[in-house]
Amino acid sequence: MSISPEHKPLGKQVTGSLHTLSPIVELNVGGEMYTTTLSTLKKHPGSKLAEMFTGQPKLRTDSEGRFFIDRPGTYFKYILEYLRSNQVPTQCIQDVYREALFYDIEPLIKQLEDSPQIFGELVARKQFLARVPSYSENIELMIRIARAEAVASRCSGVIVCVVRTEEDAARCQDALNSLDMDKKSVVKFGPWKAAPSISDLLDCIQMDVAAKGYKISFQPHVAEKGFRFKSHDFFYKFLFTWW
């Protein structure tokens, strides 16, 4: 039995307006194949996803004529399920959130931001780290120092000075002046005005460096004898293990 043209899925027919084509759409999202309807994809008119399928086709097609979206296909099923049934995903929350941001599906973004995982990251942790001066720059500096010292070594260490208050910052500077080491190789974090403690910041540093693919640990740094202060009050050694 032949299929009438109006019921054939969108595929190799990519000429003309999408309004004149079949409501059934075949998609290739990062190598994962999906079939859905045009109305589902355009459910939220202001979204980037809806814009992709409004008016003239704005997407390339693969060899089979399916519209191709160059994004992780694994998580698109959660996006599609939300569009179909308003079901907010409970798995892969961080990954789905990134895709919701890309497709600019505002209702899903807001609902995901209310989830404990995203709320804790955006409202609590990120807001805290925004109050730690040069936090992101210092993370990158730590990595550069560690990589520079990794030649012919299994591990490389980076000394970090962490101070929470202005008073501690002044004491730390005095401590740095009495250290027998290259002051430029010490990465300084703080001070900050927020509730989290020094141990909380140390956990954040370890978490964010590890998220970049590095194997990292830390411990209090014990200075040589004759040091004027208790070095573990301020100084910690982060150890990068390469193999």
Side-chain angles (χ1 to χ4, degrees):
M1 182 178 66
S2 61
I3 301 175
S4 60
E6 64 270 18
H7 294 299
K8 289 181 180 179
L10 284 180
K12 296 181 181 178
Q13 304 178 42
V14 293
T15 58
S17 170
L18 277 167
H19 295 296
T20 66
L21 299 178
S22 165
I24 308 302
V25 183
E26 289 185 350
L27 300 173
N28 177 346
V29 185
E32 298 282 342
M33 310 307 165
Y34 295 94
T35 301
T36 186
T37 65
L38 195 59
S39 60
T40 295
L41 295 171
K42 296 171 66 175
K43 183 174 182 179
H44 298 285
S47 69
K48 182 177 179 180
L49 184 62
E51 287 297 318
M52 290 178 181
F53 295 93
T54 300
Q56 290 293 115
K58 300 175 176 65
L59 296 169
R60 294 173 293 173
T61 56
D62 65 12
S63 60
E64 297 298 321
R66 293 173 291 235
F67 287 110
F68 179 72
I69 302 177
D70 194 13
R71 294 295 296 180
T74 303
Y75 310 115
F76 189 74
K77 63 182 178 183
Y78 300 108
I79 299 292
L80 202 53
E81 187 59 34
Y82 176 78
L83 295 174
R84 287 168 171 163
S85 61
N86 290 322
Q87 181 176 328
V88 179
T90 57
Q91 303 177 55
C92 308
I93 300 297
Q94 297 281 357
D95 298 301
V96 176
Y97 179 66
R98 281 194 294 269
E99 296 309 297
L101 288 173
F102 173 79
Y103 294 114
D104 195 21
I105 304 172
E106 192 64 30
L108 178 56
I109 292 171
K110 289 181 178 179
Q111 290 184 70
L112 287 173
E113 286 179 348
D114 283 337
S115 69
Q117 299 95 321
I118 303 298
F119 179 87
E121 177 69 12
L122 295 180
V123 177
R125 200 176 85 90
K126 289 296 186 185
Q127 288 298 315
F128 159 51
L129 295 178
R131 302 183 185 189
V132 180
S134 303
Y135 177 81
S136 296
E137 293 85 347
N138 283 341
I139 293 291
E140 295 301 324
L141 177 58
M142 286 179 62
I143 292 172
R144 289 199 300 272
I145 293 172
R147 291 175 69 92
E149 296 181 359
V151 178
S153 300
R154 182 171 186 180
C155 301
S156 52
V158 178
I159 305 301
V160 167
C161 174
V162 183
V163 292
R164 185 175 177 182
T165 67
E166 294 290 351
E167 180 181 2
D168 284 346
R171 294 176 61 208
C172 179
Q173 188 58 51
D174 287 341
L176 273 173
N177 292 335
S178 64
L179 273 177
D180 185 20
M181 65 167 61
D182 181 6
K183 309 300 186 298
K184 294 180 181 179
S185 67
V186 179
V187 182
K188 178 173 171 282
F189 287 85
W192 64 86
K193 294 181 180 179
S197 65
I198 286 177
S199 63
D200 294 324
L201 180 65
L202 293 169
D203 287 341
C204 287
I205 295 171
Q206 183 178 31
M207 183 187 309
D208 289 330
V209 174
K212 295 179 180 291
Y214 295 92
K215 185 177 180 180
I216 186 172
S217 60
F218 68 90
Q219 61 187 25
H221 175 62
V222 180
E224 300 294 330
K225 61 181 180 179
F227 191 58
R228 292 171 54 193
F229 298 91
K230 293 180 180 179
S231 58
H232 59 264
D233 285 347
F234 305 115
F235 296 96
Y236 299 83
K237 185 171 185 177
F238 279 79
L239 192 66
F240 289 71
T241 301
W242 302 104
W243 51 272

